[in-house]
């Protein structure tokens, strides 16, 4: 007997081949079938064909008949697996083709999904192609049917799909002091504890570049000034000895000059590294340094050193590269405590320099450590426990957590395991389709479906990570980068997950308000938005009670999502009123013509409810007006904000003229070879680099339309 | 008196966030003036008690540094009584500075009642030949920034 293959060629019947196909399906379905049973299917099939008119069946007919036979013989699970595999084969062929197209696009056209990726580099291209592949693997093998359903209909957005397969965590606030203390190991090389400020900064750079490759989100080194203090003292000690040895006059001026030189060189090389060397993942890691808080009762020398560290970080940022172009990494955060600035002259000077630095470079952003403690989680932690909850990456904040044995509040050495974002606008649309005019009555009930799937997804993240080997991220799990992260490489992460966080994000509350109430979020005074946020907050608290893992409410920084979510809504609803982007999280629409102070008032409540991740920002018309920037920042700090300012910072690559808030044409020489830095979301990015952009069209359109952001 | 513009949170005219009032009417008519439509004394809207209250309410916010008077020309004699009344009320608020812009020279206005309320006066006509974009608070370099009170350090 013969078989007609798909390409029309003819081949002799081969019972072994049929046997193997059924055997594979049996394996995949986890249903036991013995030899005899399989052979009975093969033989029945063979006999049927031989005895029928059709004695040269086509391959597709054979598949169809095998499935039918398996069902008749009550092996329906095996039949499903067999059927699934047939589609799977065509799917995989299609998917592989798609991968090839995507790879071509990345190789020859570039990619603008993420402003932190320079897609012209080979390493980035490799990373993007790999990312497409791992995202697809994850999607095909690990997403559940329901996760896929809500992802495909747009109600849920799974962030960083390309990284889900790896079982790494998202972003962290590293405990750098613990890593450095007493030395550590990095890729089986033993480092001794640094003996000077300069070597400390070099080692910190090594750690950052290495560790950022083992996770996918932002890497924050909180309170870098305090991390550096002991190493600065070692430098002073070294030069004091030298001054004595060589009888150097005015030795104190000399040793501080030496320290200042070391810090300058160290921070400059760190900044260069973090902006030029891609992490092992292929992108420029999102790195953050925070500084500026200290106890005002410290000895004068300590305060002098801490202030010098802060000053150097900002001097380096202000100086820019050899052509004067400002760096965007690491993100800088000034830790603001009103009381400290009022009473300590070093702190006042540092804050004034921070304002000046922001007026030129947009960074630092400001974190209020003591403002509005009734609502501000960070202030509560700081005032009650003396601990600082530093932002992880651009805006993620962990919750209060105490070590169950010591009852100490721990904020350093913690991390986030992942983010999933809910788009309530799409839930509203599907409600509308299902219930008509009374859709609003069903909205919260319907929302529970995608949100429960979001919960399941985040819980799965925890389960994946808790089963990872510690060797997957040695700095964090074995060298003390995370709290109690001093396990052996063969251990699993295990109960370290108890202090991690998972984030439920959201987008487009402004657009939802328009759909619901026919007015903007500002006109509604955020009323609907707040009721939705309270609903979400209750939900994440309930999740935590249910399974003990940490969940938090997160104001998603939607970069590419702002545009894909808008497209998806327009596509399924046919409603184009919202244009090419949705408004991020709880914010007023960027086009609202309101002052920074009004914006602070309108957004305050929503900001504080979303305490798992949030940032406030405002557009500054005239960044040269330092007093105005100071007024905006001071006002934000008193309300407990984490806050940054925004303006278009432009630099001409031909004549090196700098300007702000202008067009992408140099007002001095008319060149269009311009580099512009803008706040993308909670972080800065190059909206134009040497005249071309790395930002997606929706976001670019948003940036163009900004009035109050 | 009429006014052509009122900004309750202006970052462009004077230091800090300020309330800026652009009064209508100017007889100087400098060549290249940035605000020609304000030459007409009937331009804009009438300045009323409510306008004044709006200004004072805005100024009472702690983040507002003070009042900026621009124009037109605040030193046109027929504006004086209205603006003096406004400035008096502003001086009753603590720690608010008043900045004024005029096309006249300080020497010409130094004896007016209004100038007594100015913490800072930017004086002189706009002159095209001295125009530069890089000047702070001024349109042309012949204009002067005159710090008339001790509070100027605070902006």
């Amino acid at each position: 007997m013969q078989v007609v293959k798909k390409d029309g060629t003819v081949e002799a019947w081969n019972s072994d081949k049929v046997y193997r196909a059924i055997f594979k399906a049996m394996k995949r379905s986890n249903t036991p079938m013995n030899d005899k049973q399989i052979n009975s299917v093969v033989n029945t099939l063979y006999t049927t064909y031989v005895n029928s008119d059709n004695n040269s069946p086509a391959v597709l007919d054979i598949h169809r008949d095998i499935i039918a036979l398996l069902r008749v013989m009550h092996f329906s699970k095996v039949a499903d697996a067999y059927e699934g595999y047939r589609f799977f084969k065509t799917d995989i062929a299609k998917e592989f083709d798609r991968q090839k197209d995507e790879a071509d696009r990345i190789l020859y056209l570039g990619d603008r999904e993420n402003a932190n990726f320079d897609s012209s580099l080979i390493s980035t291209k490799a990373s993007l192609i790999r990312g497409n592949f791992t995202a697809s693997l994850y999607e095909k093998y690990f997403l559940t049917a329901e996760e896929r359903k809500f992802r495909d209909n747009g109600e849920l957005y799974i962030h960083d799909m390309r990284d889900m397969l790896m079982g790494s965590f998202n972003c962290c606030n590293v405990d750098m002091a613990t890593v450095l203390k007493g030395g550590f190991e990095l890729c089986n090389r033993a480092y001794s504890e640094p003996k000077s400020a300069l070597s400390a900064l070099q080692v910190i750079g090594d750690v950052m570049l290495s560790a950022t490759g083992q996770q996918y989100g932002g890497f924050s080194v909180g309170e870098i000034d305090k991390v550096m203090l002991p190493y600065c003292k070692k430098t002073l000690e070294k030069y004091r000895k030298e001054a004595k040895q060589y009888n150097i006059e005015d030795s104190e001026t000399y040793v501080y000059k030496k320290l200042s030189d070391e810090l300058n060189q160290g921070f400059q090389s760190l900044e260069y590294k973090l902006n030029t060397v891609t992490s092992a993942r292929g992108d420029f890691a999102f790195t953050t340094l925070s500084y500026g808080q200290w106890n005002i009762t410290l000895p004068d020398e300590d305060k002098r050193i801490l202030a010098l560290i802060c000053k150097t970080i900002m001097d380096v940022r202000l100086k820019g590269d050899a052509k004067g172009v400002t760096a965007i990494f690491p993100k800088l955060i000034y830790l603001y405590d009103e009381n400290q600035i009022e009473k300590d002259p070093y702190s006042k000077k540092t804050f004034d320099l921070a304002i000046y630095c922001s007026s030129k470079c947009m960074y630092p952003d400001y974190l209020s450590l003591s403002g509005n403690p009734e609502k501000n989680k960070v202030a509560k932690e700081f005032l009650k426990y003396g601990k600082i909850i530093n932002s992880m990456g651009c805006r993620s904040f962990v919750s209060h957590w105490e070590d169950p044995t010591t009852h100490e509040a721990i904020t350093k050495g913690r991390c986030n395991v992942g983010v999933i974002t809910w788009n309530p606008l799409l839930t509203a649309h599907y409600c509308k389709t299902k219930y008509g005019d009374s859709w609003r009555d069903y909205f919260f009930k319907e929302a529970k479906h995608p949100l429960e799937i979001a919960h399941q997804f985040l819980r799965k993240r925890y389960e994946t990570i808790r089963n990872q080997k510690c060797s997957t991220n040695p700095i964090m799990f074995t060298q003390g980068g995370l709290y109690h992260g001093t396990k052996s490489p063969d251990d699993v992460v295990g109960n370290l997950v108890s202090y991690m966080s998972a984030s439920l994000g959201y987008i487009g509350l402004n657009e939802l308000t328009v759909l619901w109430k026919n007015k903007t979020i500002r006109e509604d005074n955020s009323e609907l938005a707040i009721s939705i946020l309270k609903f979400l907050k209750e939900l994440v608290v309930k999740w935590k009670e249910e399974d003990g893992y940490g969940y938090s409410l997160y104001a998603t920084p939607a970069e590419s999502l702002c545009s894909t979510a808008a497209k998806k809504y327009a596509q399924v609803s046919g409603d184009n009123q919202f244009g090419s982007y949705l408004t991020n999280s709880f914010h007023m629409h960027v086009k609202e013509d309101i002052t920074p102070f009004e914006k602070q008032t309108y957004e305050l409540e929503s900001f504080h409810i979303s305490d798992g991740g949030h940032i406030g920002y405002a557009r500054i018309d005239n960044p040269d007006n330092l007093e105005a920037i100071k007024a905006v920042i001071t006002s934000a700090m008193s309300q407990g904000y984490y806050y940054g300012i925004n303006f278009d910072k432009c630099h001409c690559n031909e004549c090196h003229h700098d300007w702000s808030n202008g067009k992408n044409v140099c007002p001095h020489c008319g060149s269009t070879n311009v580099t512009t830095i803008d706040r993308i979301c909670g972080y800065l990015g190059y909206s134009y680099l040497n005249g071309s952009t790395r930002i997606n069209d929706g976001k670019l359109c948003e940036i163009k339309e900004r009035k109050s952001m | 008196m009429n006014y052509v513009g009122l900004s309750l949170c202006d970052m462009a005219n004077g230091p800090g966030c300020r309330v800026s009032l652009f009064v209508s009417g100017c007889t100087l008519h400098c060549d290249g003036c940035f605000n020609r439509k304000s030459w007409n004394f009937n331009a804009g809207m009438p300045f009323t008690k409510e306008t004044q209250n709006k200004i004072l309410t805005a100024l009472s916010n702690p983040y507002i540094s003070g009042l900026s008077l621009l124009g037109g020309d605040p030193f046109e004699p027929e504006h004086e009584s209205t603006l003096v009344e406004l400035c008096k009320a502003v001086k009753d608020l603590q720690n608010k500075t008043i900045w004024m812009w005029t096309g006249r020279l300080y020497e010409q206005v130094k004896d007016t009642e209004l100038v007594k309320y100015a913490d800072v006066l930017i004086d002189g006509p706009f002159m095209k030949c001295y125009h530069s974009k890089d000047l702070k608070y001024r349109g042309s370099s012949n204009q002067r920034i005159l710090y008339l009170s001790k509070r100027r350090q605070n902006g």
Side-chain angles (χ1 to χ4, degrees):
Chain A
M1 193 177 70
Q2 287 177 327
V3 173
V4 184
K5 296 185 73 182
K6 265 181 253 172
D7 57 7
T9 55
V10 174
E11 198 180 84
W13 170 269
N14 183 342
S15 289
D16 273 358
K17 263 191 166 177
V18 182
Y19 181 95
R20 277 201 303 271
I22 298 169
F23 185 81
K24 274 187 191 166
M26 182 268 288
K27 277 266 197 185
R28 276 195 305 276
S29 70
N30 271 331
T31 317
M33 260 180 107
N34 59 30
D35 246 19
K36 220 174 135 190
Q37 290 166 320
I38 298 177
N39 274 325
S40 123
V41 178
V42 178
N43 293 336
T44 314
L45 205 66
Y46 180 77
T47 334
T48 318
Y49 290 136
V50 170
N51 296 335
S52 75
D53 304 336
N54 181 10
N55 55 10
S56 50
V59 167
L60 286 176
D61 295 336
I62 299 174
H63 287 317
R64 186 199 59 210
D65 296 337
I66 291 173
I67 291 162
L69 254 174
L70 282 167
R71 287 200 202 288
V72 170
M73 295 168 74
H74 303 291
F75 291 108
S76 60
K77 276 195 174 167
V78 184
D80 287 346
Y82 196 101
E83 194 163 24
Y85 191 63
R86 278 178 57 209
F87 291 123
F88 193 73
K89 276 166 110 176
T90 47
D91 273 4
I92 290 295
K94 269 191 210 151
E95 178 56 29
F96 210 74
D97 241 21
R98 198 186 64 83
Q99 293 279 339
K100 160 86 172 61
D101 291 346
E102 280 289 294
D104 279 349
R105 184 178 65 81
I106 289 159
L107 287 171
Y108 302 112
L109 298 173
D111 181 277
R112 292 191 284 141
E113 278 295 290
N114 183 325
N116 295 338
F117 276 80
D118 175 359
S119 62
S120 49
L121 296 176
I122 291 291
S123 54
T124 314
K125 287 179 197 295
S127 161
L128 286 166
I129 292 171
R130 174 200 69 103
N132 270 329
F133 182 63
T134 48
S136 160
L137 276 183
Y138 189 81
E139 197 207 312
K140 290 257 180 291
Y141 292 96
F142 294 92
L143 277 191
T144 66
E146 281 195 296
E147 285 163 355
R148 188 172 293 122
K149 173 185 150 196
F150 287 112
R151 188 199 65 136
D152 289 348
N153 81 5
E155 285 183 82
L156 293 179
Y157 179 82
I158 299 167
H159 293 258
D160 308 296
M161 188 86 117
R162 66 197 296 277
D163 299 293
M164 291 298 101
L165 192 65
M166 303 300 170
S168 61
F169 60 77
N170 176 13
C171 53
C172 71
N173 183 26
V174 66
D175 185 352
M176 190 60 86
T178 301
V179 173
L180 297 182
K181 201 161 171 72
F184 61 97
E185 264 188 32
L186 183 60
C187 300
N188 299 318
R189 301 295 296 171
Y191 279 64
S192 57
E193 184 166 359
K195 292 178 189 67
S196 70
L198 180 57
S199 67
L201 284 166
Q202 283 164 341
V203 169
I204 288 171
D206 291 353
V207 170
M208 288 176 89
L209 284 180
S210 169
T212 48
Q214 317 311 327
Q215 62 178 72
Y216 60 87
F219 189 91
S220 296
V221 185
E223 302 165 70
I224 180 78
D225 42 3
K226 279 171 248 169
V227 173
M228 286 299 297
L229 182 63
Y231 307 108
C232 290
K233 285 183 172 170
K234 285 185 183 176
T235 293
L236 289 178
E237 213 43 54
K238 183 176 76 185
Y239 286 109
R240 277 187 187 128
K241 267 189 204 154
E242 202 181 288
K244 210 168 168 188
Q245 193 181 349
Y246 298 108
N247 284 324
I248 293 167
E249 276 173 52
D250 194 4
S251 62
E252 275 310 277
T253 314
Y254 170 77
V255 296
Y256 271 97
K257 165 84 175 56
K258 285 293 184 187
L259 174 60
S260 171
D261 288 350
E262 278 200 6
L263 286 171
N264 232 307
Q265 206 183 332
F267 277 114
Q268 199 172 43
S269 82
L270 184 65
E271 196 187 84
Y272 265 104
K273 251 184 233 181
L274 297 177
N275 286 282
T276 55
V277 184
T278 55
S279 79
R281 293 167 17 85
D283 57 345
F284 293 108
F286 191 102
T287 47
T288 305
L289 302 179
S290 76
Y291 56 86
Q293 188 281 328
W294 54 78
N295 190 334
I296 52 176
T297 60
L298 284 176
D300 192 73
E301 177 169 276
D302 286 17
K303 288 194 274 187
R304 184 176 174 187
I305 298 169
L306 290 165
L308 179 63
I309 296 167
C310 297
K311 178 177 179 296
T312 311
I313 294 171
M314 293 188 276
D315 282 348
V316 166
R317 183 57 53 96
L318 282 161
K319 188 165 171 259
D321 68 3
K323 287 178 177 170
V325 178
T326 304
I328 52 172
F329 292 121
K331 173 173 183 163
L332 304 179
I333 299 176
Y334 178 84
L335 302 167
Y336 180 100
D337 175 23
E338 192 184 355
N339 184 43
Q340 180 197 339
I341 294 168
E342 223 168 72
K343 292 184 180 149
D344 172 39
Y346 288 114
S347 304
K348 189 183 175 301
K349 249 181 140 168
T350 307
F351 176 55
D352 285 342
L353 179 61
I355 293 288
Y356 178 71
C357 190
S358 297
S359 83
K360 297 287 177 198
C361 310
M362 273 183 275
Y363 285 153
D365 287 352
Y366 298 79
L367 178 62
S368 174
L369 299 182
S370 49
N372 198 359
E374 300 79 41
K375 288 183 176 157
N376 176 8
K377 168 169 99 174
V378 175
K380 258 182 238 166
E381 192 80 10
F382 180 69
L383 296 174
K384 195 165 173 195
Y385 304 96
K387 296 288 176 81
I388 294 173
I389 303 179
N390 194 55
S391 166
M392 303 187 291
C394 84
R395 65 169 67 190
S396 191
F397 291 87
V398 293
S399 314
H400 174 73
W401 182 81
E402 289 174 20
D403 182 313
T405 38
T406 64
H407 300 291
E408 193 193 349
I410 303 297
T411 57
K412 247 179 249 155
R414 294 177 59 187
C415 65
N416 179 283
V417 300
V419 186
I420 189 161
T421 291
W422 172 49
N423 182 353
L425 189 63
L426 277 160
T427 302
H429 168 71
Y430 296 124
C431 262
K432 233 171 149 177
T433 323
K434 194 165 164 190
Y435 299 104
D437 287 343
S438 58
W439 66 273
R440 293 171 190 83
D441 302 338
Y442 298 91
F443 176 80
F444 286 95
K445 187 175 143 251
E446 288 292 321
K448 284 190 177 150
H449 301 306
L451 289 168
E452 187 42 43
I453 299 306
H455 176 204
Q456 281 174 28
F457 178 82
L458 292 175
R459 188 168 53 208
K460 209 162 57 170
R461 293 295 304 150
Y462 274 115
E463 276 148 21
T464 308
I465 288 166
R466 81 177 303 149
N467 290 315
Q468 287 292 310
K469 281 268 174 67
C470 289
S471 55
T472 53
N473 191 345
I475 281 282
M476 303 309 280
F477 295 132
T478 75
Q479 302 300 309
L482 288 182
Y483 184 64
H484 282 171
T486 46
K487 294 190 152 197
S488 111
D490 289 330
D491 286 343
V492 290
V493 172
N495 62 1
L496 297 189
V497 296
S498 60
Y499 56 70
M500 297 181 186
S501 71
S503 305
L504 172 67
Y506 59 92
I507 183 175
L509 291 185
N510 175 57
E511 287 71 21
L512 177 72
T513 310
V514 172
L515 203 68
W516 192 300
K517 292 186 158 178
N518 206 19
K519 50 185 173 181
T520 65
I521 193 167
R522 185 184 68 77
E523 289 161 344
D524 188 42
N525 203 13
S526 295
E527 222 174 77
L528 176 70
I530 289 168
S531 71
I532 287 182
L533 292 176
K534 284 186 172 159
F535 161 75
L536 293 175
K537 189 67 177 278
E538 274 170 31
L539 213 57
V540 293
V541 170
K542 205 183 92 201
W543 295 351
K544 194 172 184 172
E545 282 164 9
E546 272 173 35
D547 59 33
Y549 291 128
Y551 300 97
S552 64
L553 183 56
Y554 181 77
T556 300
E559 183 180 324
S560 63
L561 175 61
C562 82
S563 120
T564 46
K567 266 185 214 154
K568 184 76 191 178
Y569 173 74
Q571 179 209 331
V572 297
S573 69
D575 171 6
N576 288 310
Q577 64 167 318
F578 301 124
S580 60
Y581 61 92
L582 296 189
T583 302
N584 266 15
S585 61
F586 56 77
H587 291 297
M588 303 293 115
H589 196 281
V590 296
K591 279 200 272 189
E592 293 283 4
D593 197 2
I594 48 177
T595 70
F597 304 100
E598 288 169 320
K599 192 163 186 276
Q600 287 170 7
T601 309
Y602 285 128
E603 296 181 348
L604 186 66
E605 188 74 19
S606 305
F607 172 89
H608 284 304
I609 301 175
S610 313
D611 63 2
H614 50 193
I615 185 167
Y617 29 63
R619 190 170 186 82
I620 299 292
D621 300 330
N622 177 13
D624 290 333
N625 190 340
L626 297 182
E627 295 87 345
I629 295 178
K630 202 169 179 174
V632 170
I633 298 295
T634 314
S635 159
M637 291 301 100
S638 70
Q639 297 173 73
Y641 268 106
Y642 167 48
Y643 205 80
I645 59 163
N646 180 36
F647 52 89
D648 310 318
K649 180 180 168 52
C650 313
H651 176 90
C652 174
N653 298 306
E654 304 291 339
C655 73
H656 302 299
H657 178 68
D658 286 295
W659 69 99
S660 56
N661 291 341
K663 289 189 182 125
N664 288 314
V665 182
C666 176
H668 196 255
C669 73
S671 164
T672 52
N673 183 2
V674 166
T675 293
T676 304
I677 298 177
D678 271 293
R679 189 169 287 274
I680 309 298
C681 300
Y683 48 93
L684 307 182
Y686 294 109
S687 51
Y688 286 91
L689 193 65
N690 307 327
S692 63
T693 188
R694 283 185 195 171
I695 295 177
N696 70 74
D697 294 337
K699 200 74 197 174
L700 262 189
C701 175
E702 188 233 82
I703 289 173
K704 258 184 217 147
E705 295 186 343
R706 285 174 183 178
K707 277 203 179 106
S708 52
M709 189 225 150
Chain B
M1 185 184 82
N2 273 18
Y3 68 99
V4 283
L6 173 61
S7 166
L8 299 177
C9 181
D10 183 0
M11 297 186 187
N13 296 293
C17 303
R18 313 182 65 82
V19 175
S20 299
L21 178 71
F22 295 80
V23 301
S24 312
C26 176
T27 52
L28 300 174
H29 297 192
C30 300
D31 185 22
C33 174
F34 81 110
N35 203 0
R36 287 175 71 104
K37 68 173 198 283
S38 70
W39 290 353
N40 184 342
F41 282 76
N42 296 320
M45 311 205 297
F47 186 89
T48 61
K49 200 81 211 156
E50 276 117 65
T51 323
Q52 175 153 331
N53 287 339
K54 206 168 156 187
I55 291 174
L56 292 174
T57 311
L59 276 167
S60 65
N61 281 316
Y63 53 77
I64 297 290
S65 307
L67 174 70
S68 293
L69 293 178
L70 309 99
D73 191 336
F75 284 88
E76 290 295 340
E78 51 185 293
H79 296 332
E80 187 159 51
S81 62
T82 318
L83 291 179
V84 164
E85 196 193 326
L86 172 65
C87 289
K88 255 187 199 157
V90 174
K91 285 291 153 189
D92 287 342
L93 303 165
Q94 299 287 308
N95 299 320
K96 305 291 173 181
T97 58
I98 301 180
W99 283 51
M100 299 182 192
W101 275 257
T102 179
R104 293 160 164 83
L105 290 172
Y106 171 65
E107 288 72 14
Q108 292 170 286
V109 299
K110 70 181 193 326
D111 296 326
T112 60
E113 180 67 12
L114 183 61
V115 81
K116 289 180 188 160
Y117 294 94
D119 294 294
V120 178
L121 181 75
I122 287 95
D123 81 337
F126 173 72
M127 292 171 80
K128 249 182 165 173
C129 54
Y130 295 122
H131 168 65
S132 162
K133 273 186 190 164
D134 301 330
L135 295 168
K136 216 175 174 183
Y137 308 134
R138 298 171 292 166
S140 57
S141 58
N142 61 301
Q143 296 169 320
R144 297 176 294 182
I145 304 172
L146 301 167
Y147 294 96
L148 303 179
S149 84
K150 283 179 186 161
R151 274 184 304 170
R152 66 189 190 224
Q153 285 92 342
N154 302 330

